Amino acid sequence: MTNRPPLRALHAFEAAARHGSFKAAAAELGVTPTAISHQVRLLEDICGLKLFQRRPRPLVLTSAGARLFPILRNGFDLLAGSLAAVAEPDVQAPLRVTSPNAFASRWLVPRLPKWREANPAVPLEIIGTDALLDLRAGAADVAIRYTRRPPVGFAGQELCRDSFFPICSPRLLASDGRSIERAADLLRYPLIHFDWMNRDPDAPTWRRWLATARSIDPDLIPDKAWDLSFREELHAIDAVVAGQGIAICSDVVVGRELENGSLVKAHPLSLPGYGFYVVWMHHSPRSAVIESFLAWMRTVI
């Protein structure tokens, strides 16, 4: 291996040549002007040539110094760029987004073409699951959490909150031929239930909705049995879309269907839902693209 000149001496010379001053170079490198002068003299001894003309002011490069300076400057710039490229994640790597199944399927996936239009160089990997993937272990880059309060220990923002209404297909109501005038009228139709995996006692379920509705309609039976019950929220929504009954659904998750009229609110009484929070690890190396993703979500909410 060939002998390499001391890196400190190369740094000292490059900084002094760039600033035209030993004092400014010393301030940049956190040493004294005397130390800069010593390192420059060491490099001159190695080269066997003077690199600066020793004048009081300004500091002037000799012809040898003028040849060496751009080589070192470009070399240091190349080294810094190479290190940055190694440290920064591949911008082509998919941004891994974990989301509750129903939100991913009914809200996020239909809007993905708009993401591709706005960000063609950033592919997404959507991980739809009702399990909480561990961001600290690197299971995903960003998570959409559905909870009452902001998740602790993460960077993030609330995207929106939802409300729950009795939702059905307008075909179901048309088949009966009678309008819904009061909460008890809903009992003429099959009620569709789905399990809440978080076991929240205040979850917006049929049982809670019927108990609340009884305060405005005393004839309502609060403990009516469900006609259809599903483990998965998505399956319950599919049954509602198919006209099989009425379910208590999120106005965010089925927002597109409510907007286009394929689903309707069977009754105006609602229950409060939860917040959709976009969260990621503090100091994530993908923070910039994550924040772009959050900003995009706000434009399509």
Side-chain angles (χ1 to χ4, degrees):
M1 183 179 296
T2 58
N3 291 330
R4 293 185 176 129
L7 187 57
R8 287 184 181 177
L10 297 176
H11 267 147
F13 168 74
E14 189 277 335
R18 178 160 36 86
H19 288 291
S21 165
F22 283 179
K23 184 177 180 181
E28 177 182 316
L29 299 180
V31 297
T32 65
T34 301
I36 294 293
S37 177
H38 173 75
Q39 292 296 329
V40 169
R41 288 189 183 278
L42 176 61
L43 188 59
E44 288 177 329
D45 290 342
I46 293 172
C47 295
L49 295 167
K50 293 295 182 182
L51 301 175
F52 288 106
Q53 296 180 18
R54 297 299 197 272
R55 296 177 180 176
R57 286 189 184 88
L59 196 61
V60 178
L61 288 167
T62 63
S63 59
R67 292 194 302 272
L68 179 60
F69 171 56
I71 297 172
L72 287 181
R73 180 191 58 204
N74 295 340
F76 283 133
D77 288 346
L78 179 61
L79 179 60
S82 299
L83 290 175
V86 170
E88 186 172 330
D90 184 359
V91 294
Q92 298 299 324
L95 180 68
R96 297 168 301 156
V97 181
T98 177
S99 163
N101 264 322
F103 184 82
S105 177
R106 312 298 300 200
W107 192 95
L108 183 55
V109 170
R111 291 167 168 81
L112 291 183
K114 293 183 178 179
W115 169 264
R116 290 194 295 272
E117 290 174 7
N119 302 273
V122 185
L124 298 180
E125 179 183 337
I126 307 301
I127 309 169
T129 176
D130 292 326
L132 295 182
L133 299 190
D134 190 352
L135 296 185
R136 294 180 178 86
D141 299 308
V142 59
I144 300 167
R145 298 281 197 242
Y146 186 55
T147 180
R148 292 200 184 277
R149 300 173 187 84
V152 177
F154 299 98
Q157 296 181 30
E158 180 180 291
L159 179 66
C160 62
R161 301 191 75 85
D162 61 359
S163 298
F164 282 75
F165 293 83
I167 302 293
C168 67
S169 167
R171 300 193 313 274
L172 179 70
L173 301 182
S175 67
D176 180 75
R178 292 179 290 175
S179 62
I180 293 177
E181 304 292 342
R182 49 191 289 200
D185 292 342
L186 270 61
L187 304 185
R188 300 198 304 259
Y189 305 94
L191 302 188
I192 298 173
H193 169 79
F194 61 88
D195 292 344
W196 278 82
M197 294 295 102
N198 63 5
R199 307 300 181 190
D200 183 353
D202 295 324
T205 61
W206 265 122
R207 182 173 286 108
R208 187 164 169 232
W209 190 92
L210 291 170
T212 302
R214 198 178 185 200
S215 65
I216 59 174
D217 190 348
D219 295 334
L220 193 67
I221 302 172
D223 54 354
K224 182 183 184 299
W226 325 128
D227 298 286
L228 280 173
S229 185
F230 294 93
R231 180 67 61 88
E232 299 289 339
E233 181 182 4
L234 273 175
H235 297 160
I237 294 173
D238 288 340
V240 170
V241 172
Q244 297 178 21
I246 306 174
I248 302 295
C249 297
S250 162
D251 62 351
V252 169
V253 172
V254 297
R256 294 177 79 247
E257 290 79 4
L258 290 172
E259 185 176 347
N260 64 32
S262 58
L263 293 178
V264 296
K265 296 174 182 177
H267 194 278
L269 177 65
S270 67
L271 296 174
Y274 300 80
F276 292 91
Y277 294 89
V278 182
V279 300
W280 61 94
M281 293 299 299
H282 289 289
H283 309 299
S284 167
R286 309 213 68 184
S287 291
V289 69
I290 290 171
E291 289 175 4
S292 295
F293 178 70
L294 173 59
W296 169 79
M297 290 188 77
R298 291 196 181 283
T299 67
V300 296
I301 190 68

